Amino acid sequence: MTPDAALAALRAEADPARAIEMAAYHKAPREYLGLSNAVTGALATEWRKGAVDQAALVALAQGLWDSDIFEARVAAGKMFVQARMRPNDALAWDWIEGVVPQFDSWAIADAVAQGGQKRVVQVPQRLDVLEEWTASPHLWTRRAAFVFALPFCKARHPSGVEAAARGRVMGWAERLAEDPEWFIQKAIGWWLRDLSKHDPEAVRSWLETHGARLKPFARKEAARHLP
């Protein structure tokens, strides 16, 4: 699949009326085609499964990304969602890391994060990169650190690697608890909320110590599932 052919397939599904609504909602000044997530995701899955190798996936993702069409960037982000890539996922990770500084939309950022989460789980040492992101002046890069680290919240009985990752991310949350950006506050609340489903005591302890530094809506989000 070439980028031009993929873009043609996306355009074939366009819904102009819905595109107008999406442009008004997302606000970022780019072309919108009006595709649902289901359509974009199905096409991305088809292209991913048909790629001959990781280099071809990266080339397709880059071509889609460079178009700056909303749905094309979302599809690009979904090129790397398989749990493991062999013999390694270095090309995929390099591409993901390269586009993070270009994020300007939560929807595109979250699409890329679907693959980014898998790549961090495959190589947990990439938490070092995420930690660097927490100091970025770019809002969406700081946010990505928390979103990419969400899988480490999921286990009821975490491994040593998962437990260490949780402690590390909670340290990031402590450092950024007074970040004024709404999306950072939301990301911290989201991460703590997900962790509370499996380790409520850790989240309760964090909130008792640092919760007053969060904005009220983020504190409420973090505590949503606490008994």
Side-chain angles (χ1 to χ4, degrees), residues 7 23 153 160 213 216:
L7 289 169
C153 297
R213 297 168 52 218

Side-chain angles (χ1 to χ4, degrees), residues 41-212:
L43 287 170
T45 298
E46 176 185 337
W47 302 333
R48 177 170 53 82
K49 290 181 176 179
V52 296
D53 56 24
Q54 193 175 148
L57 273 181
V58 169
L60 176 56
Q62 189 63 53
L64 290 167
W65 188 268
D66 288 344
S67 75
D68 199 27
I69 297 169
F70 175 79
E71 290 82 356
R73 287 198 163 190
V74 168
K78 296 180 178 182
M79 291 291 101
F80 310 105
V81 297
Q82 51 268 62
R84 299 196 70 80
M85 304 182 77
R86 300 188 185 282
N88 59 62
D89 62 355
L91 292 177
W93 175 250
D94 286 348
W95 184 85
I96 291 168
E97 189 177 357
V99 299
V100 167
Q102 301 174 51
F103 287 172
D104 60 2
S105 156
W106 67 263
I108 292 172
D110 287 358
V112 176
Q114 292 180 35
Q117 291 169 356
K118 303 291 188 182
R119 309 285 57 86
V120 174
V121 170
Q122 183 167 354
V123 183
Q125 293 84 353
R126 288 171 177 151
L127 285 165
D128 293 346
V129 176
L130 271 57
E131 183 157 340
E132 292 176 3
W133 290 354
T134 64
S136 172
H138 181 231
L139 155 66
W140 299 103
T141 298
R142 297 199 304 282
R143 178 182 181 271
F146 292 96
V147 181
F148 278 44
L150 279 169
F152 296 105
C153 297
K154 306 301 183 183
R156 187 169 298 278
H157 303 290
S159 67
V161 170
E162 290 166 331
R166 290 177 179 185
R168 191 170 185 179
V169 178
M170 292 176 83
W172 304 346
E174 178 182 345
R175 292 201 302 275
L176 295 182
E178 296 177 46
D179 192 303
E181 293 286 357
W182 187 92
F183 276 105
I184 302 302
Q185 293 283 320
K186 179 69 173 178
I188 293 172
W190 178 8
W191 201 90
L192 293 170
R193 180 199 69 199
D194 277 16
L195 180 61
S196 74
K197 297 175 185 177
H198 305 292
D199 193 349
E201 290 306 318
V203 174
R204 183 180 290 109
S205 176
W206 192 97
L207 288 172
E208 288 174 352
T209 305
H210 308 291

